[in-house]
Amino acid sequence: MRFFLNQYRFDINKYDSGVYDSLYFQVFDEEAALDVLEQLGFLFPSEPKESRRSYYEKYKNQKIGELPLGYRGALYFLIANGYAEAVL
């Protein structure tokens, strides 16, 4: 199943099967990626006092499969829409 949000897409099958979970991630333009997530309400920090940027910074060098579920979903979304890529 695929979801389309305006011009964006999200493939839940890739997310559910953990296609990228064993890999790290690289975001091409952090500002643009965080702006898109802000527009769509993705990547909420677990602590209300924490900003999205500091939340992103806290996890940026971990494997995708080790991230909190919401963060992992946001990464799959960014990869599907060309804002990030999964890397070894």
Side-chain angles (χ1 to χ4, degrees):
M1 181 183 302
R2 290 188 179 141
F3 294 100
F4 295 91
L5 306 165
N6 295 327
Q7 72 269 27
Y8 302 112
R9 63 187 177 277
F10 181 74
D11 189 337
I12 198 163
N13 291 330
K14 284 186 177 180
Y15 175 77
D16 285 343
S17 62
V19 170
Y20 304 116
D21 283 359
S22 63
L23 302 174
Y24 295 91
F25 65 92
Q26 174 182 345
V27 177
F28 303 120
D29 181 345
E30 292 177 9
E31 227 22 76
L34 288 170
D35 284 348
V36 167
L37 296 177
E38 178 75 37
Q39 289 172 30
L40 299 172
F42 283 171
L43 197 62
F44 285 104
S46 52
E47 295 295 320
K49 297 178 212 162
E50 195 172 19
S51 71
R52 276 190 175 89
R53 177 158 303 286
S54 65
Y55 189 60
Y56 166 74
E57 291 292 327
K58 180 169 38 173
Y59 293 110
K60 76 189 277 185
N61 294 315
Q62 292 186 17
K63 288 186 178 178
I64 295 171
E66 298 168 353
L67 302 173
L69 287 178
Y71 198 115
R72 190 180 325 160
L75 254 297
Y76 273 81
F77 177 84
L78 291 176
I79 291 167
N81 290 283
Y83 289 92
E85 69 177 351
V87 294
L88 290 173

